[in-house]
C-alpha cells in the first residue's frame, strides 16, 4: 500500500492553482452577472467585488492597469458582461475571477460614464446658473481651443473675421479625440488663464461619434472649464450633441460656427446701432437745447423784470407821477383855499367897523366895551367915541 504524500497548505493551494491555470477553458471566460460588495481600493487603484446571479457568487478583482481603460465607474447592482480568466489566490485558497475588461449589460459604458460624471459634477454645483460668467459683448481677443486641421477652426476663423475683424484670434491647437485629447484641452484652457490671453474662449470640435466626442466628457476638461476665470463657450459636435463641457461652460453653442457668432458681434449690426444711437442722441440733444433756450428766454425776461435798475427806473417814474399828483393837489387845494380866503376877507372887510365909521358913524365904548343901547349910558359916564380918524373922550350929560 502506497504511503500518502503529506502536503502543506501552500503546496495544496499551489497545486490547485496550477490545475486551474492549466485549463484552457478558464484562460478566457465571459461571465455575466451583477456587481456586489464593490470596493475601490484608492491607495492601489484596484477594484474588488463579487459577481453574482440568482444563486451563486464569485469573487473578482480588476487591477489598476486594466480598470484605467474603463469609461465608467462600477457600482453595486450594476449588471455587467466580463471578460477575464479564472485563477487561485493562493494565500486565501480561493479561486476568483481576474477581470481584463468589463462592459455594462444593456446601456453602453459611455452612456453610464456620462451620467455618472454628470451627476457627480452637478452635486458639486458646477452646472449652477449662479456661477456662469457673462460673455463680453466686444472681446478684443478670442481664444480657440480645438484642432488646427479640422473644419471647425476654419469655420470659426471665417465667421469671426467676417463679423468683427477688429477681434484678434488666438488659437491653441490640440487633439480633440484620442487618449491625449482631454489633457491637452485642459492644459490649453489653463494656459489661456495663466497668460490672460483672451477675453473669451471657444472650446470644441466638429461632429463625430460618441467615442470621437468623448474627450469633452472627461472630468479633467470639465474641471478646467469650471476653474477658468475667462468665460468659456462650449461648441462640441452638432446641435443634437451634448457633452459634459456644455453643462459646465458659461455658454453652450450648438456648433462651432454658432459659437463664433455668439463670441463676437456683427460689425454691420453695430454700425446700424451706432447710427441709430447717434440719431437718437442728436434728437435728444437738440430737444434739450431748444428747451434750455426757452428756459433762458423766460429767465431773461424774468431777470429783466426783476433788474434792480429797471425797478428803480420804474419806481422813479412812479414817484414822479405821484409827486406831480401831490403838487397838482396842493395847487388845487391852495387855489381853493385862496379863493375861500378872498371871499371871507371880502365878507370880513364888509363887516369891518372902520368901514362903517368912515361913512360918518362912530362907536361908543364904555369901560372898553361897545355900548349898543342908550339905557346903558348914565349921566356922568366917561365914554370913548371911536371915529374914523381917531378916538374922542366925552362925558355923558
Amino acid at each position: 500500500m502506497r504511503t500518502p504524500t503529506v502536503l502543506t497548505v501552500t503546496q495544496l493551494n499551489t497545486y490547485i492553482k496550477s490545475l486551474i491555470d492549466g485549463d484552457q477553458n478558464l484562460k478566457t471566460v465571459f461571465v455575466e452577472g451583477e456587481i456586489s460588495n464593490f470596493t475601490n481600493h484608492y491607495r492601489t487603484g484596484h477594484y474588488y467585488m463579487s459577481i453574482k446571479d440568482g444563486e451563486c457568487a464569485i469573487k473578482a478583482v480588476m487591477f489598476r492597469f486594466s480598470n484605467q481603460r474603463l469609461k465608467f465607474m462600477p457600482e453595486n447592482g450594476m449588471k455587467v458582461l466580463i471578460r477575464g480568466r479564472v485563477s487561485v489566490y493562493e494565500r486565501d485558497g480561493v479561486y476568483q475571477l481576474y477581470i481584463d475588461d468589463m462592459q455594462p449589460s444593456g446601456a453602453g459604458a459611455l452612456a453610464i460614464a456620462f451620467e455618472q460624471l454628470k451627476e457627480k459634477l452637478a452635486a458639486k454645483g458646477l452646472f449652477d446658473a449662479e456661477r456662469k460668467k457673462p460673455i463680453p459683448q466686444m472681446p478684443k481677443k478670442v481664444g480657440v481651443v480645438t484642432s488646427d486641421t479640422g473644419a471647425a477652426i476654419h469655420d470659426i476663423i471665417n465667421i469671426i473675421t467676417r463679423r468683427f475683424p477688429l477681434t484678434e484670434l488666438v488659437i491653441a491647437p490640440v487633439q480633440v479625440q484620442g487618449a491625449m485629447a482631454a489633457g491637452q484641452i485642459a492644459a490649453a484652457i489653463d494656459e489661456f488663464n495663466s497668460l490672460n490671453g483672451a477675453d473669451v474662449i471657444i472650446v470644441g470640435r466638429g461632429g463625430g461619434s460618441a467615442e470621437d466626442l468623448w474627450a469633452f466628457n472627461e472630468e479633467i476638461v470639465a474641471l478646467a472649464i469650471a476653474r477658468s476665470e475667462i468665460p468659456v463657450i462650449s461648441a462640441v459636435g452638432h446641435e443634437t450633441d451634448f457633452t459634459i463641457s456644455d453643462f459646465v461652460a458659461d455658454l453652450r453653442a450648438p456648433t462651432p460656427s454658432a459659437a463664433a457668432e455668439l463670441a463676437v458681434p456683427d460689425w454691420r449690426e453695430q454700425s446700424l446701432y451706432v447710427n441709430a444711437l447717434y440719431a437718437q442722441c442728436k434728437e435728444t440733444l437738440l430737444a434739450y437745447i431748444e428747451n434750455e433756450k426757452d428756459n433762458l428766454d423766460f429767465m431773461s425776461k424774468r431777470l429783466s423784470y426783476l433788474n434792480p435798475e429797471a425797478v428803480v427806473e420804474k419806481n422813479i417814474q412812479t414817484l414822479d407821477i405821484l409827486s406831480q399828483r401831490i403838487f397838482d393837489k396842493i395847487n388845487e387845494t391852495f387855489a381853493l383855499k385862496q379863493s375861500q380866503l378872498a371871499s371871507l376877507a371880502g365878507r370880513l372887510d364888509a363887516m369891518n367897523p372902520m368901514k362903517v365909521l368912515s361913512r360918518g358913524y362912530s362907536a361908543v365904548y364904555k369901560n372898553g366895551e361897545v355900548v349898543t343901547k342908550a339905557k346903558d349910558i348914565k349921566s356922568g359916564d366917561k365914554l370913548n367915541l371911536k371915529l374914523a380918524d381917531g378916538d374922542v373922550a366925552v362925558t355923558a350929560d
Side-chain angles (χ1 to χ4, degrees):
M1 185 176 177
R2 183 180 175 184
T3 304
T5 302
V6 179
L7 302 174
T8 64
V9 174
T10 301
Q11 290 173 332
L12 178 60
N13 286 351
T14 302
Y15 177 70
I16 294 173
K17 175 177 171 59
S18 67
L19 293 177
I20 293 177
D21 288 347
D23 190 333
Q24 295 298 318
N25 292 325
L26 300 178
K27 285 186 178 296
T28 301
V29 295
F30 291 89
V31 179
E32 186 174 30
E34 180 182 315
I35 297 175
S36 65
N37 301 321
F38 176 78
T39 300
N40 183 355
H41 199 285
Y42 291 100
R43 187 173 62 84
T44 62
H46 306 325
Y47 296 163
Y48 297 94
M49 69 198 83
S50 296
I51 306 299
K52 65 178 183 177
D53 56 20
E55 299 178 358
C56 299
I58 182 174
K59 291 184 179 295
V61 60
M62 191 174 195
F63 294 124
R64 184 171 179 269
F65 58 81
S66 295
N67 64 41
Q68 282 182 327
R69 296 190 296 269
L70 292 181
K71 298 297 185 183
F72 68 98
M73 175 61 68
E75 297 177 349
N76 288 326
M78 184 181 291
K79 291 185 178 181
V80 292
L81 177 62
I82 293 170
R83 178 176 60 81
R85 60 187 175 85
V86 178
S87 186
V88 174
Y89 183 40
E90 295 177 64
R91 193 198 71 175
D92 294 344
V94 296
Y95 79 92
Q96 58 186 11
L97 189 58
Y98 291 81
I99 303 172
D100 295 323
D101 190 23
M102 180 190 302
Q103 297 294 330
S105 296
L110 295 182
I112 291 177
F114 179 89
E115 292 300 328
Q116 286 179 336
L117 183 58
K118 182 180 176 183
E119 183 178 346
K120 176 182 177 181
L121 298 182
K124 291 183 177 181
L126 267 62
F127 303 160
D128 293 349
E130 293 77 13
R131 59 166 300 277
K132 305 291 185 182
K133 296 177 286 294
I135 306 301
Q137 292 185 346
M138 293 187 182
K140 296 179 180 179
K141 289 184 179 181
V142 175
V144 183
V145 179
T146 190
S147 171
D148 59 350
T149 60
I153 187 62
H154 297 293
D155 292 341
I156 291 172
I157 292 174
N158 291 336
I159 291 173
I160 288 181
T161 52
R162 183 185 74 246
R163 284 176 62 86
F164 204 66
L166 296 177
T167 297
E168 179 184 352
L169 271 173
V170 183
I171 300 171
V174 295
Q175 294 183 26
V176 291
Q177 67 185 69
M180 305 293 292
Q184 291 184 11
I185 295 168
I189 296 171
D190 289 338
E191 187 173 7
F192 269 118
N193 279 270
S194 64
L195 299 176
N196 195 23
D199 300 311
V200 62
I201 302 172
I202 297 175
V203 178
R205 56 157 291 160
S209 65
E211 289 79 5
D212 293 337
L213 306 181
W214 190 254
F216 298 92
N217 288 322
E218 295 283 1
E219 185 172 4
I220 187 175
V221 174
L223 294 178
I225 294 174
R227 64 174 169 264
S228 175
E229 295 294 331
I230 302 172
V232 175
I233 301 175
S234 176
V236 182
H238 301 299
E239 188 170 357
T240 56
D241 296 319
F242 280 89
T243 64
I244 296 296
S245 296
D246 294 330
F247 295 109
V248 182
D250 299 294
L251 180 65
R252 185 247 177 188
T255 63
S257 298
E261 294 181 356
L262 293 170
V264 296
D266 189 331
W267 72 268
R268 298 172 186 83
E269 294 178 0
Q270 294 301 309
S271 179
L272 292 174
Y273 172 74
V274 170
N275 290 335
L277 190 62
Y278 170 78
Q280 182 181 359
C281 290
K282 182 179 179 181
E283 181 181 353
T284 303
L285 184 59
L286 290 176
Y288 175 78
I289 291 174
E290 191 65 26
N291 183 64
E292 290 302 307
K293 184 179 178 181
D294 293 341
N295 289 338
L296 182 60
D297 291 342
F298 173 77
M299 295 302 294
S300 296
K301 293 177 180 178
R302 185 176 182 185
L303 183 61
S304 176
Y305 177 77
L306 296 176
N307 186 355
E309 184 176 352
V311 172
V312 170
E313 291 178 353
K314 179 182 177 182
N315 290 337
I316 288 176
Q317 185 177 359
T318 302
L319 182 61
D320 289 341
I321 294 172
L322 292 176
S323 299
Q324 185 62 43
R325 288 180 180 176
I326 293 172
F327 183 77
D328 292 344
K329 192 67 175 177
I330 290 174
N331 288 336
E332 180 183 349
T333 303
F334 180 77
L336 177 63
K337 296 299 181 182
Q338 190 176 32
S339 175
Q340 291 176 347
L341 179 62
S343 175
L344 292 173
R347 291 170 61 188
L348 183 61
D349 185 61
M351 297 175 64
N352 188 349
M354 297 306 294
K355 287 276 187 179
V356 176
L357 294 179
S358 65
R359 292 197 297 270
Y361 295 96
S362 63
V364 179
Y365 290 85
K366 178 182 176 181
N367 297 326
E369 294 182 357
V370 177
V371 178
T372 59
K373 296 178 179 181
K375 65 180 183 176
D376 294 332
I377 300 174
K378 296 178 179 179
S379 178
D381 288 342
K382 298 294 183 182
L383 302 174
N384 186 36
L385 298 178
K386 182 175 284 292
L387 303 175
D389 56 351
D391 296 338
V392 176
V394 294
T395 304
D397 292 335

